[in-house]
Amino acid sequence: MAVSDPDARTPELSGVDLARVALRAAKEQARQRGEQVREKREAKRHGLRSGARADGRDPVPLGAALNRLITERGWEAPAAVGGVMGRWSQIVGPDIAAHCEPKHFAEAEAVLTVQCDSTAWATQLRLLARQLVARLNHELGHGTVRVIKVQGPDAPARSYGRLRAPGSKGPGDTWG
């Protein structure tokens, strides 16, 4: 997990994302108000004392605290995509995972960039892109990934021989 830069700006939320954050905040406030009312009733009825039942003063499990933080900050999509990057082979299957790996997710455009180790697998993945988008959206939530951008293998740097004509582009200029 990368350390965040305090000077880095957080992305501006708009539309559906803003509505989700506002809805989460409203639900959390309503839940807290409900807990406060219940605690006041309990305090009036029994007095303020510790008991066997859970209350707001009890420690919270780490997983629950992290889930709450993710929800409060609106990090569901990035956290889900990060989980998918870690579970790539389980989602797409061992054959595809052996030859293709996710490289980058652009949240604003909902584009997942995947790099393949051969042009044949890049072509195969382009043909399977619609099915993979559907499977990823089933795992992450509807509309999280709209497009899969497929990249072929990195080409090695062209090394030219000792003898070369000035302005030549190597063997490609005779075929081009």
Side-chain angles (χ1 to χ4, degrees):
M1 186 172 234
V3 178
S4 65
D5 183 18
D7 296 332
R9 288 191 210 159
T10 58
E12 295 295 323
L13 299 177
S14 64
V16 175
D17 293 329
L18 244 167
R20 283 184 185 148
V21 170
L23 178 63
R24 261 187 251 107
K27 283 182 178 180
E28 181 65 25
Q29 288 174 354
R31 187 183 62 74
Q32 287 176 352
R33 273 188 256 123
E35 286 179 5
Q36 288 173 352
V37 169
R38 184 182 56 78
E39 287 174 4
K40 283 182 182 179
R41 279 192 212 133
E42 290 284 325
K44 284 181 183 177
R45 208 178 303 150
H46 304 292
L48 275 177
R49 59 181 178 211
S50 180
R53 294 188 187 142
D55 63 5
R57 300 174 292 168
D58 290 342
V60 180
L62 180 61
L66 286 175
N67 287 337
R68 186 171 168 189
L69 177 68
I70 288 170
T71 304
E72 287 173 355
R73 301 287 173 115
W75 293 339
E76 287 96 352
V81 170
V84 165
M85 300 258 190
R87 298 183 303 131
W88 179 250
S89 63
Q90 295 171 350
I91 294 171
V92 299
D95 293 336
I96 295 174
H99 299 282
C100 307
E101 70 174 300
K103 288 294 185 182
H104 177 70
F105 178 70
E107 186 178 356
E109 299 87 25
V111 176
L112 178 65
T113 304
V114 178
Q115 186 170 24
C116 300
D117 62 0
S118 70
T119 55
W121 272 102
T123 303
Q124 182 69 20
L125 199 65
R126 284 184 189 102
L127 294 172
L128 294 172
R130 290 182 104 182
Q131 295 162 347
L132 287 177
V133 167
R135 191 179 304 171
L136 288 168
N137 282 331
H138 177 73
E139 290 284 327
L140 300 173
H142 182 67
T144 305
V145 177
R146 284 191 229 145
V147 177
I148 293 181
K149 181 179 173 184
V150 180
Q151 295 179 340
D154 286 334
R158 289 184 106 176
S159 60
Y160 299 106
R162 290 184 343 208
L163 303 174
R164 191 178 105 189
S168 170
K169 295 181 182 149
D173 66 353
T174 60
W175 298 97

